[in-house]
Amino acid sequence: MPPPSADVAVEGVTDTQGFQMPDILTINDIEKLRTKAGKLVAGVAAKADVELFKGRGRHAHKPLAKRWDNRISYESANRQHSSIKAAAQYLSKPGIISLGGGLPSEQYFPFDDFSIKAPAQGHFSEEETLTHGEVLTARKRDQTTGRSLFDIATAFNYGQGSGSPQLLRFFIEHTDIVHNPKYRDWQCTMTIGTTSAVEMVLRMLGHPGMCLLTEEYSFAAVVEAAAALQISSIGVAVDDQGLLPDSLDHILTTWDPKKHNNAPKPYLLYTVPTGQNPTGATQSFQRRKAIYAVAQKHDVLICEDEPYYFLQMQPYTGQDAPDAPPPASLDAFLKALVPSYLSLDTDGRVLRMDSCSKVLAPGARIGWITAPEQLVERYRCHADVGTQGPSGFSQLAVFKLLDEHWGHSGYLEWLIYIRLEYTKRRDVILGACEKYLPREVVSWKPPMAGMFHWLQVDWRKHPLAGKLSVTELEERIWLKAIEDGSLLIKGSWFRADQGTVELGDKEQMFFRTTYAAAPAEKIREAIKRFGNSLREEFGLKSVRNGVVVNGYGSL
């Protein structure tokens, strides 16, 4: 028979009388916190008790978040929770026989078990996984037999839009350990990835005709999603540390609706603070505090998209420098991270978005939002009758890996491992740029986090500058690189304001590269090919098959 379909229930435990709720949660506190809460029992379509997972009352001394009634859209304000999902609360009544919800019987799920082979804690490489990897198996009725808190019968059935309590608990604890939010009523709810989550937040907080603030070069999918909702994106100037607070303040202070199709003053900022896509910029702690102060001054909500947060790296010191050493401890790793906007947020004006895509696998389609209860509740209303929760297959696999296999310490060790791996990849592409790119016409700043390297090309030195527009020159260089066997992404595709006219000599040209996927030798070869393409386009000396070429082709 299936595990009980119910809200989260707990079973009483003992030996917790001496445990005091800590002000700052650490990994060492998790077991005691869970023991005090009682054994988690969550069946099909169970709702999560977020306050229980936070440690009921542990944040009671903190202030409540600001209310955002005046920012919630008409669509979101009129959304109600799924009435059928709400009925699931009565499934916990002893002896009740449900003929209500259309939950398929797990007898007819054609999956009795499934297994994944995962790295053992501390042995994370592919080679080590082949020899030291551990097989994690989920069965249909592990909850009924007491083998696990989560099984196929529950995970593969319908669930709540917020995701399963089993996995959501882990994400809530992780958020508490890493960020320790400063207000009382913060909550988490799962998403099916940040792209979907941002689109949903725009529908929750936006309306046609408004403007969204973001980096002047921003994540293209967000700009495109906003445009489809008739929301215009306004680019805020950036430098090598990302958003400039003075530019943000100037835009808001001098806002004139008449210059923006009668759009009201913006109240929503979307930013990728760490390893920003596409520029690779990382906002310093001081920069984040300054941006947050501007947001407070103008009452702006911040959508903090942080898929690369744990891929923060040590400074690049040269292609011959030794590999960066790992941090001395998990605590040292966490303390070395640039504090998040969520950790600074005293008002409840930050909606933080985390994702498994860059640190586990994008195909899992699992992420989570942390925000004030009011906004999380609105998000759940959208999800319950829209995207629903992440795939049950994915949730069960990720639960087996993170909660049962690695635990919080193992997950942080994995994050350290991939940070060091991506640091090596970053150093490869920077070394290749130093060796192969013509510094007369291309420049860059070493990224401090993430997966992207942003190259600026001085189009003014192109022989056809003045005869062709910057857009035409960019297209020409891009196609030349493709012809020579190297695919980069045009910087213009990331411009926040796609309607901006040509800016003449102020126009800039960029190309985005990534060091995330290709092996080291192919990264070097791709940069070498791009360097040759630039030399030919700009009439500089180039070497092809041992032959010196000096030409840029013809118009």
Side-chain angles (χ1 to χ4, degrees), residues 22 41 55 59 68 73 92 110 256 259 438 455 468 477 543:
V41 181
H59 296 271
W68 299 102
S73 69
S92 60
D256 182 355
K259 295 181 179 179
L455 301 174
L468 298 178
I477 294 169
V543 177

Side-chain angles (χ1 to χ4, degrees), residues 239-240 278-281 316-319 426-448 452-458 488 509-513 515 527 530-531 534-535:
D239 63 7
D240 59 348
T279 67
Y316 177 70
T317 56
Q319 56 183 309
R426 177 206 62 177
D427 293 352
V428 167
I429 200 169
L430 289 173
C433 288
E434 290 176 353
K435 184 174 182 179
Y436 296 117
L437 295 187
R439 298 300 291 265
E440 311 97 300
V441 297
V442 62
S443 59
W444 60 87
K445 298 286 187 181
M448 293 291 292
F452 302 109
H453 184 36
W454 192 237
L455 301 174
Q456 181 170 6
V457 175
D458 189 354
L488 292 76
M509 182 187 296
F510 297 96
F511 290 90
R512 191 196 75 174
T513 68
Y515 43 88
I527 292 297
F530 184 57
L534 288 174
R535 287 184 176 87

Side-chain angles (χ1 to χ4, degrees), residues 256-276:
D256 182 355
K258 294 179 181 178
K259 295 181 179 179
H260 298 278
N261 296 319
N262 294 317
K265 182 177 175 180
Y267 55 82
L268 184 60
L269 168 67
Y270 168 81
T271 181
V272 181
T274 309
Q276 197 257 351

